[in-house]
Amino acid sequence: VIAGYYADTGGNMLSFPLNASTPILYYNKDQFRFAGLDADKPPKTWPELETAAERLRAAGYTCGFTTHYPSWVNVENFLAFHGLPVATQNNGMAGLDAQLVIDNPLMVRHLAALANWQKTGIYQYAGRTTRGERRFSAHECGMFLGSSASRADFLAQANFEIGYGLLPYYPDVAGAPKNSIIGGGSLWALRDRPEAEYKGVAKFFAFLSRPDVQAEWHQTTGYLPITRAAYELTQSEGFYAKNPGAEIAVKQITLNPPTADTRGLRLGSYVTVRDIIEEEMEQALDGRKTAEAALKSAVARGNAVLKEFARTNK
């Protein structure tokens, strides 16, 4: 699953995955108990998460839930988990002439819900980067949707019992949930270098691929193991049994076989496109635009960037 994200359509690896992660649900078990919620049952669906957030607010907590990286969590992974595309051409995997399709009815519904929840504190927007993590650690928000790699920081910083769960989904969407997609960085070998350097690169990649090295990386950081051997080694060592929730991310990306719409994204100038999506999301959350208008604007502006990228990279 992870290798496929970093490969071309022929299955050839383009880069070496390093810090691969996927967003999951974290929740404060202590706050759940205080609010009269079952601390051993994370909300599985968006209606269940809404109910839990309402109970947390009624118990006096500042906010029910928050997120980080809003496009990655609440657009890209949200759509993949429901089996819907972010863009045409298999999310850009099949060609440069991809166009965004995030203005679909389900995405409009979800962004509108986030905007409504923002008004009552059920949801509180925490910006485009990692402030959402700090709000969870500081007891301000009882739930957090974000990177599986945040687990290590939470365990080091949080002075409460942490619960873990899969991303929520809308139960009336046929076929949901599917699988989430990954994010993170990778290592690239540059061309036109001396042969001796490539021998060194090969040895380094081989070292990073060793099951014991990958298992330690996965267990220490919360990033995903990039090989099945590393996952099986972690399992055989009893790490998941001793660390509840550490396996959630692996289970989520393998929940169902990935489809053309849930394998991942490959879109030109996507850092710019993502900024556009998040800017438009913010306008909907602030009440300056309807969810539908914001998403239509994000599609129009984002598609102009994709079209320019395709034009200059024939």
Side-chain angles (χ1 to χ4, degrees), residues 134-185:
R134 296 196 291 274
R135 297 204 64 190
F136 179 67
S137 294
H139 298 248
E140 294 176 18
C141 299
M143 294 177 284
F144 170 73
L145 301 177
S147 172
S148 57
S150 299
R151 181 176 176 275
D153 286 339
F154 288 152
L155 290 174
Q157 298 169 9
N159 58 350
F160 54 84
E161 187 179 0
I162 302 170
Y164 308 88
L166 301 177
L167 289 176
Y169 63 94
Y170 285 102
D172 57 334
V173 175
K178 294 294 188 183
N179 63 282
S180 61
I181 57 177
I182 63 174

Side-chain angles (χ1 to χ4, degrees), residues 43-192:
K44 294 181 179 180
T45 66
W46 281 106
E48 288 178 6
L49 186 139
E50 179 183 16
T51 298
E54 287 173 340
R55 293 279 290 275
L56 289 166
R57 289 284 291 130
Y61 295 111
T62 305
C63 91
F65 80 99
T66 190
T67 67
H68 64 181
Y69 301 118
S71 178
W72 184 54
V73 176
N74 271 312
V75 178
E76 297 154 39
N77 269 283
F78 172 81
L79 290 173
F81 214 48
H82 290 85
L84 295 172
V86 170
T88 59
Q89 289 286 39
N90 299 348
N91 284 336
M93 294 277 190
L96 285 178
D97 56 337
Q99 293 195 322
L100 296 177
V101 288
I102 61 171
D103 55 342
N104 61 71
L106 183 64
M107 191 66 247
V108 170
R109 168 187 172 185
H110 183 56
L111 183 55
L114 290 173
N116 286 329
W117 293 336
Q118 171 91 354
K119 296 173 185 175
T120 60
I122 287 176
Y123 167 69
Q124 286 193 9
Y125 182 65
R128 301 187 190 185
T129 54
T130 58
R131 282 185 295 163
E133 296 172 18
R134 296 196 291 274
R135 297 204 64 190
F136 179 67
S137 294
H139 298 248
E140 294 176 18
C141 299
M143 294 177 284
F144 170 73
L145 301 177
S147 172
S148 57
S150 299
R151 181 176 176 275
D153 286 339
F154 288 152
L155 290 174
Q157 298 169 9
N159 58 350
F160 54 84
E161 187 179 0
I162 302 170
Y164 308 88
L166 301 177
L167 289 176
Y169 63 94
Y170 285 102
D172 57 334
V173 175
K178 294 294 188 183
N179 63 282
S180 61
I181 57 177
I182 63 174
S186 60
L187 299 174
W188 292 78
L190 305 181
R191 63 185 176 189
D192 300 327

